[in-house]
């Protein structure tokens, strides 16, 4: 069974449709006038969080979401309709990443929206260019092109407490006991194939508990989908490590092995983190720091389940002693511990029984002060990626490459005998790029309008400052995703 908590999809925004150049001519009217209307705006792609969604299964089979373009302008001064936006529902806790793996947004509340691709600006009809001097404009502007983007949707199962342990230690039974979750329970390993999320009410506090499918040695390297499950572990505020008291020494070693997988996963996920186990506010706490900044802060407790299977108190005390001894030895060997005492470990180690409910209610009550003494805002945060703003003046000069030679010669930008001596001016300017895409090249009036805009906005002065002269080839860098750069002859 595949767990769909991460999907890759492609989204395409709608093109703004072109304006139109046409004339109003009616009986009894001596002179016509420009009457071309604007085109419509293209669709945007918008993601919206919904509390009614709890899976990304809707994106399992459909991988491309394409927005429709606007509608073209019409004659008789008529604008045309904008297209409607595409709104895609995702569960709360969904993370959006771009193709480079950078986090764009994470949804934290119901009805929260995020526009991933906007529908682009409509084209302008010739009726808008009429003035007292130029009364019969015979040109229009085209709409901006649509864009295509590949994104990843990643479901973040945000929980306060994570039940972590090897297969068949009773994690599913515990979450079924303390919440209304209906996790599958059976008498064989790997019964739980996907994480289960349950809501717990204890006194005046409500919190979420997640049952992580059984982890085994090698999980940090991806063994038995370990990476997929460990990713959800790091979202929890409290790591609740569960063992089976009937397994004795084997159960103790499994706890240490799984904790070691968590440490290994943290070391692989973050670059050179400093990991320590410390006492913080009277609780056993795992800290991970990077450049003296805390990136992870997690409370630790230990549950020894299936108390009902062992009736000998001496055996139980011996197993607890062995667990604490081996845990402290592991902390010392890995150089993690900072003055963690055996007494503190005893305070946060509990015998419980999911079958008979022994100790369950008391343990839930113990969670309340732990959660209240833990930061409300999760330290493990998802950074918001912001695109660096490009300056208005970015002009680079370089020689024409061999790859560009054939195209520029075919389009009559340069002569074949001169290409080695020609230079290209690379320009990144969002406003200039927008103009180049919207101008209908080949229309003399439209090109005159283009030059007027360059002069009016001071762009020609910038060109002069950089030594750009008539006859130079300008390469206008595209800021539209998946759209080629444009060449123009200045």
């Amino acid at each position: 069974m595949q767990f769909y908590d991460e999907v890759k999809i492609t989204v395409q925004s709608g093109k703004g449709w072109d304006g139109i150049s046409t004339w109003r001519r009616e009986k009894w009217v001596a002179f016509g006038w420009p009457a071309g209307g604007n085109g419509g705006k293209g669709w945007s792609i918008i993601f919206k969080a919904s509390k009614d969604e709890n899976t990304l299964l809707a994106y399992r089979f459909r991988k491309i979401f394409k927005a429709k373009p606007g509608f073209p302008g019409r004659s008789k001064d008529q604008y045309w309709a904008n297209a409607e936006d595409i709104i895609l529902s995702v569960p709360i806790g969904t993370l959006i990443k771009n193709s480079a793996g950078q986090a764009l947004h994470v949804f934290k509340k119901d009805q929260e929206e995020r526009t991933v691709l906007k529908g682009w600006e409509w084209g302008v009809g010739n009726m808008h260019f009429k003035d007292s001097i130029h009364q019969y404009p015979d040109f229009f502007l085209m709409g901006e092109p649509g864009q295509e983007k590949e994104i990843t949707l990643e479901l973040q199962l945000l929980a306060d407490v994570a039940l972590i342990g090897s297969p068949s230690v009773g994690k599913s039974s515990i979450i079924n006991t303390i919440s209304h979750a209906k996790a599958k329970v059976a008498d064989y390993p790997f019964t739980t194939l996907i994480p289960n999320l349950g809501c717990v009410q204890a006194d005046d506090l409500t919190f979420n508990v997640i049952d992580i499918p059984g982890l085994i040695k090698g999980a940090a390297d991806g063994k038995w989908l370990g990476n997929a499950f460990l990713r959800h572990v790091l979202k929890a505020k409290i790591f609740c490590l569960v063992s089976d008291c009937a397994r004795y020494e084997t159960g103790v070693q499994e706890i240490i092995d799984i904790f070691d997988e968590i440490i290994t996963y943290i070391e692989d996920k973050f670059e050179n983190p400093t990991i320590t186990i410390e006492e913080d506010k009277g609780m056993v706490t795992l800290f991970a720091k990077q450049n003296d900044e805390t990136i992870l802060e997690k409370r630790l407790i230990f549950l020894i389940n299936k108390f009902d299977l062992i009736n000998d108190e001496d055996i139980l005390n011996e197993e607890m002693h062995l667990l604490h001894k081996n845990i402290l030895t592991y902390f010392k060997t890995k150089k993690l511990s900072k003055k963690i005492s055996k007494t503190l470990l005893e305070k946060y180690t509990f015998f419980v029984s999911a079958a008979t409910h022994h100790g369950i209610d008391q343990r839930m009550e113990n969670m309340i002060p732990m959660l209240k003494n833990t930061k409300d805002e999760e330290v493990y945060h998802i950074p918001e990626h912001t695109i660096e703003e490009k300056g208005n003046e970015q002009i680079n000069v370089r020689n024409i490459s061999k790859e560009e030679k054939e195209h520029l010669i075919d389009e009559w930008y340069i002569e074949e005998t001169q290409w080695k001596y020609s230079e290209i001016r690379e320009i990144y300017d969002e406003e200039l790029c927008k103009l180049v895409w919207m101008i209908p090249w080949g229309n003399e009036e439209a090109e005159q309008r283009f030059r007027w805009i360059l002069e009016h906005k001071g762009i020609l002065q910038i060109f002069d400052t950089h030594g750009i002269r008539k006859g130079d080839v300008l390469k206008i860098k595209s800021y539209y995703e998946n759209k080629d750069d444009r060449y123009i002859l200045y």
Side-chain angles (χ1 to χ4, degrees):
M1 177 179 179
Q2 189 170 358
F3 179 38
Y4 287 96
D5 62 341
E6 184 175 19
V7 293
K8 287 185 179 180
I9 62 173
T10 300
V11 292
Q12 298 176 4
S13 62
K15 166 183 164 55
W17 207 260
D18 303 339
I20 188 174
S21 178
T22 188
W23 306 90
R24 189 75 176 261
R25 302 188 187 281
E26 297 179 2
K27 192 176 183 180
W28 315 119
V29 177
F31 300 99
W33 61 87
N38 296 348
K41 182 181 179 182
W43 280 8
S44 298
I45 303 289
I46 300 172
F47 284 90
K48 186 175 184 178
S50 172
K51 60 181 176 57
D52 298 323
E53 299 285 343
N54 55 16
T55 177
L56 296 175
L57 200 60
Y59 304 95
R60 176 181 177 183
F61 299 108
R62 187 178 175 187
K63 298 296 184 182
I64 299 177
F65 295 84
K66 186 175 182 180
K68 291 183 178 180
F71 297 89
R74 299 177 68 179
S75 60
K76 298 184 180 180
D77 302 348
Q78 294 180 80
Y79 296 0
W80 199 239
N82 296 330
E84 295 182 0
D85 296 330
I86 289 183
I87 299 179
L88 304 174
S89 293
V90 293
I92 298 171
T94 299
L95 167 68
I96 301 177
K97 296 190 293 187
N98 62 14
S99 56
Q102 296 165 314
L104 298 176
H105 188 73
V106 61
F107 294 95
K108 297 181 179 179
K109 57 185 180 181
D110 188 36
Q111 303 302 306
E112 183 179 354
E113 293 186 357
R114 172 77 175 197
T115 301
V116 174
L117 281 179
K118 67 177 182 177
W120 292 101
E121 187 174 323
W122 54 83
V124 180
N126 66 333
M127 60 175 286
H128 285 278
F129 301 111
K130 178 185 176 182
D131 55 34
S132 59
I133 299 175
H134 197 191
Q135 296 192 23
Y136 295 95
D138 191 17
F139 71 95
F140 60 92
L141 295 183
M142 299 185 293
E144 288 189 86
Q147 292 192 65
E148 179 179 307
K149 179 185 289 187
E150 186 180 87
I151 62 172
T152 299
L153 301 177
E154 183 179 300
L155 182 58
Q156 310 289 303
L157 295 179
L158 303 176
D160 299 295
V161 181
L163 299 176
I164 310 164
S166 55
S168 298
V169 294
K171 302 183 299 299
S172 297
S173 298
I174 292 174
I175 198 171
N176 287 345
T177 300
I178 63 178
S179 73
H180 292 293
K182 302 298 181 184
K184 183 180 179 181
V185 177
D187 191 20
Y188 54 84
F190 303 113
T191 309
T192 304
L193 299 177
I194 62 174
N196 295 298
L197 199 62
C199 185
V200 178
Q201 176 73 45
D203 290 343
D204 61 340
L205 186 67
T206 301
F207 57 93
N208 292 327
V209 178
I210 187 171
D211 164 26
I212 302 296
L215 299 173
I216 59 177
K217 195 167 184 178
D221 297 323
K223 195 170 183 180
W224 174 235
L225 298 179
N227 274 329
F229 299 144
L230 283 168
R231 181 164 56 82
H232 295 298
V233 168
L234 293 193
K235 310 296 187 302
K237 298 176 183 177
I238 298 176
F239 290 174
C240 184
L241 293 148
V242 184
S243 66
D244 180 350
C245 66
R247 297 184 188 179
Y248 303 106
E249 293 183 7
T250 302
V252 170
Q253 187 58 45
E254 285 174 349
I255 283 288
I256 295 173
D257 289 343
I258 289 170
F259 191 76
D260 186 58
E261 294 300 325
I262 294 173
I263 297 298
T264 302
Y265 182 74
I266 295 172
E267 291 173 338
D268 291 341
K269 187 173 181 64
F270 302 99
E271 186 177 349
N272 298 322
T274 301
I275 303 173
T276 56
I277 308 296
E278 307 176 24
E279 180 177 349
D280 181 66
K281 299 179 181 178
M283 293 174 284
V284 184
T285 307
L286 181 151
F287 286 100
K289 297 183 179 181
Q290 202 172 43
N291 301 323
D292 295 327
E293 179 185 357
T294 301
I295 54 176
L296 283 176
E297 180 182 321
K298 307 297 179 182
R299 310 300 188 191
L300 302 180
I301 65 173
F302 302 89
L303 290 187
I304 304 177
N305 191 27
K306 303 185 182 181
F307 172 82
D308 55 297
L309 299 181
I310 305 295
N311 296 318
D312 192 320
E313 188 174 338
D314 291 336
I315 294 177
L316 293 174
N317 289 332
E318 184 180 340
E319 185 169 350
M320 181 183 287
H321 173 75
L322 180 63
L323 173 64
H324 295 156
K325 176 184 175 183
N326 289 4
I327 281 286
L328 290 173
T329 301
Y330 170 79
F331 288 167
K332 184 177 180 180
T333 303
K334 297 286 287 188
K335 298 180 180 179
L336 301 175
S337 179
K338 285 193 174 182
K339 299 179 181 179
I340 294 294
S341 65
K342 184 178 178 182
T343 304
L344 184 64
L345 284 178
E346 288 177 352
K347 183 179 177 181
Y348 291 101
T349 304
F350 311 104
F351 285 100
V352 298
S353 171
T356 64
H357 291 210
H358 171 82
I360 292 291
D361 292 338
Q362 293 90 330
R363 301 298 78 79
M364 292 304 101
E365 292 173 1
N366 289 341
M367 295 285 187
I368 296 174
M370 294 183 71
L371 288 169
K372 288 184 175 179
N373 287 313
T374 303
K375 294 180 180 179
D376 291 334
E377 289 296 325
E378 195 177 1
V379 176
Y380 176 70
H381 65 282
I382 299 167
E384 293 290 336
H385 172 67
T386 54
I387 300 173
E388 294 183 7
E389 293 185 0
K390 304 287 184 178
N392 287 329
E393 184 181 338
Q394 291 196 19
I395 301 177
N396 298 318
V397 181
R398 64 170 176 78
N399 292 331
I400 294 173
S401 66
K402 290 183 179 180
E403 292 75 16
E404 295 169 311
K405 169 191 169 184
E406 185 175 346
H407 169 74
L408 295 178
I409 292 174
D410 289 344
E411 297 295 325
W412 298 94
Y413 287 105
I414 58 173
E415 297 288 340
E416 186 167 5
T417 56
Q418 296 179 346
W419 77 272
K420 289 185 178 180
Y421 311 102
S422 299
E423 292 180 335
I424 278 189
R425 312 285 179 153
E426 287 185 330
I427 302 173
Y428 189 102
D429 183 275
E430 291 190 6
E431 190 169 7
L432 182 57
C433 175
K434 177 179 174 180
L435 279 172
V436 168
W437 275 91
M438 296 181 73
I439 290 291
W441 297 98
N443 183 302
E444 186 176 346
E445 288 188 39
E447 292 182 9
Q448 287 178 354
R449 174 81 179 183
F450 176 69
R451 186 172 181 85
W452 178 86
I453 293 174
L454 295 185
E455 184 175 359
H456 182 71
K457 293 185 176 293
I459 298 176
L460 291 183
Q461 289 81 351
I462 296 174
F463 285 179
D464 289 339
T465 302
H466 285 81
I468 298 177
R469 298 291 179 263
K470 286 187 177 181
D472 285 351
V473 177
L474 306 183
K475 183 178 183 180
I476 312 300
K477 302 289 288 182
S478 174
Y479 76 98
Y480 301 111
E481 292 196 37
N482 298 314
K483 295 295 181 183
D484 295 333
D485 301 329
R486 287 288 183 92
Y487 295 90
I488 61 174
L489 191 61
Y490 180 60

